[in-house]
Amino acid sequence: MRYIPLSEQDKQQMLERCGVTDINALFCHAPQHTLDPAYNLPNHMGELEVERHLVSLANKNKDFAHNTSFLGAGCYRHHIPATVDMVIQRSEFLTAYTPYQPEIAQGTLMALFEFQSYISTLTGQPVANASMYDGATAMAEAALMAQRVTKRSNIVYDTDIHPDYKAVLKTYLSHIDGEFTESASPAETVNEQTAAYIVQWPNFKGDIADLNKLKSTCQQQGALLIVVVTEIVALGILPAPNQADIVVGEAQSIGNAMSYGGPHLGFFACQESMVRQMPGRLCGQTTDADGRTSYVLTLNTREQHIRRAKATSNICTNQGLCALAFTVHMSLLGEQGFKQLAQINHQNACHLADALTSLNGVQVLNTTFFNEFVVRLPFSAPKLVADLANEGILAGYALNDTDLLVCATEMTTNEDMHHLVQAIRIEIEGK
Amino acid sequence: MTVNKRNPQGLLLEEVLLYEQSHSGRMGVDFRAVSLSKDEQRTGLPLRESIELPEVSEPQVVRHFVRLSQKNYGIDSGFFPLGSCTMKHNPRLNEKLARLSGFSQIHPLQPQSTVQGMLELMFNLQNWLNELSGLAQTTLCPAAGAHGELTGIMMIRAAHEDKGNARKVVLVPDSAHGTNPATAAMNGYKIVEIKSDTNGLVDIQALDAAIEKHGTDIAAFMLTNPSTCGLFEPNILNIAEKIHKIGAYFYCDGANFNAIVGKIKPADLGIDVMQYNLHKTFSTPHGGGGPGSGPVSVCAELTPYLPIPLVVKEGDNFKLIEEAPKSIGKIKGYHGQAGMFVRAYAYMLSHGKDGLKQVAEAAVLNANYIMHSLKDDYFMPFNGPCMHECLFTDKQQKETGVTTLDIAKGLTDYGFHPMTTYFPLIVGGAMLIEPTETEPKEAIDEFILTMKELANIAQQNPEAIKQMPQHTPRKRLDEVTAARNPILTYQMSRQTQA
């Protein structure tokens, strides 16, 4: 086996030092009848065989490198500069552990500090942690934190939140006392028992709410405002959501591949007053024995390995390498590049919206949007998705029988848009 | 702070934050010119003004992160015997395969007919884990080990609720990882800690007393086996029987599965639920703290409660089951850490059943070899044989005031990553050493010699070891100030300086 270096001679010498002759003597505390059962599995394969098998599986998938796509819905196709993958494949980043030994982990730590700084400044929140599993779990953890901070148990959330996010919230809160109300009219539903109101921004259908109004509704009742962002590129064009008390979401768009939905990159930012109630790891700046600026994981007493049952969350492993990919990509973009990227996304989406509305009977339902919006079709949206998939066009996400959620990014070419428009035109004219 | 520190420092180059290298007008990307007028914009809000991101060019970004990487230590750099963390070799083949566009460039909401290869891979991975655990079915959804624990305990809760009573208590040994009690608490359970006996094992009398006291209020017992002391629990079948007798479930924290993978099926030990850490046993890279992946296998009785989605095969087609009446629901967005599934599956195929058995045997042999080689130099709180990791403490070194922390810092000066320190909590000054199966004997021997050397220095010249490390990118850090006055962003650091 190519990954296991011990030779037979090594093993003999080592067994000898252990004072045994047989490896199973080291398993003497296990019930002996359970040792070496039969496994209905193949024996090992060489690198070439493994590669052939996995390439054959990969080839059965219609990927975005060879097909046209307008799918978004919380997972976005963006261009990833070559530098990003070069950096995250560097052994010292890829094969490092959580930076618990800061003297030999300054690379990871400084990158996490930069990550936290970027998330903080993008979201307009004073503090951010070193990542969460994904946007959906980050939102659930935000609701739990709001309950701790406000000592209230009810949560109200907007209707147009990503369905997976709502589902995960429901799972996380399933055993907790309190009411969980879905409501598009917070002015009527948020009250003095509400811990937080949650809104996605832009929402699942692409619309962009007025946060000032929501903020004042929450403030009147002493509830926190949680803003969820699933497309972080939007923050290059929208003003920072600094009306929020907590901003969480998904940052996969920057530096991370779609990878069939994971690993992605949850983020968590909030007001400074809540920092000791935050879940997850935090990296802080300090000095070493020589007075040099250094970085270290800090405020660990919130966490499970110190606080155990009283920890703010059970989270341990997070999305370190995905956070690094984000940090590299965001560093390349910088102030100007990130804004330009957002504007190109918006412009392409505007073009797509115009092209689609030029078709007879097709209507864009949004009054506002960033790079994603809903079109109402004069025929079955799920059927369109299924039919076009066969032709190599992933048309979008069907919300119901007539409505299709479509997305354009900097990857979307005029030709792509033309393909979709033509396909829909044929469908309409064929009717 | 300036970039040009003119101190001779060889290749240990200093590097400052990109914010401090920023110059207005620099960029690391080239986009086509775009200017959106107010009328053209449909966001309904004014354009964002300043964000305060740094402005640097591509060569600067490359150099910055390469220099940062050089301040890190990974398993590719050298021996990394971090107990309970299973820092084994990460084959580059797995990285290459996960990057195939057929895996990396597919969307989680594509029609299932267009991702049959991915679903087949997930189906196969579920089956591999079913077979390796001997349990009935596996969910791939959880994002990491602790997330798998959360999922496992949620399923247990749902099963009890289905029988009419969620129950109140989860039993957790005092040697458990912190995630175990934190997980049970997140599920609304009260934690009752079971003391370890003088051999580091579950104290059966304490367990009996807890069962006597809490009886059918007990929802589950969460055991790590092999334990965090590196010991196989010899009474495991007896424990399982006691737990099952009161209608509770036997949860196993599979963080230490590397010791028995391909060698023992957890189901044969009476275990009902177990999570894996694909980033430990199945070698997906730790990435400086993630991403992980934490699939969970369960016994037949618990399968109705598995989270969604689950991959099934119908005829020649693979399909996601996205609704199930008794399912605990969704635990994560989409379908789990799919990129990690590709890596873990490639790892499993590369090993096969014969290779995985070798994994367990070599991991256990390496740990016992270290234990026997160092037992005169460091205090061994419990007798072996150990499993995949061995436990020492600083009891012998303390005579001269040297602690586990000092030994750990000393190791870094000799080019090793330290072992896990001060865990498990049931012994003072724990040093938990896990060599894994992917180390050559020479590396292990070199580590042993270094540990002996450090024991020697601790006795002869304790002051010297207190000053270690000297040859690392940083010396010991002021962690107290970091926690007292947290500086968590560049913006906060500027305010502090001002």
Side-chain angles (χ1 to χ4, degrees), chain A residues 91-125:
Chain A
S91 288
E92 303 91 330
F93 284 128
L94 182 74
T95 73
Y97 194 72
T98 304
Y100 289 134
Q101 296 291 336
E103 297 86 353
I104 52 171
Q106 285 297 300
T108 295
L109 285 161
M110 192 163 174
L112 288 178
F113 187 80
E114 291 181 321
F115 172 75
Q116 291 174 181
S117 303
Y118 293 175
I119 293 293
S120 156
T121 196
L122 286 165
T123 56
Q125 301 293 308

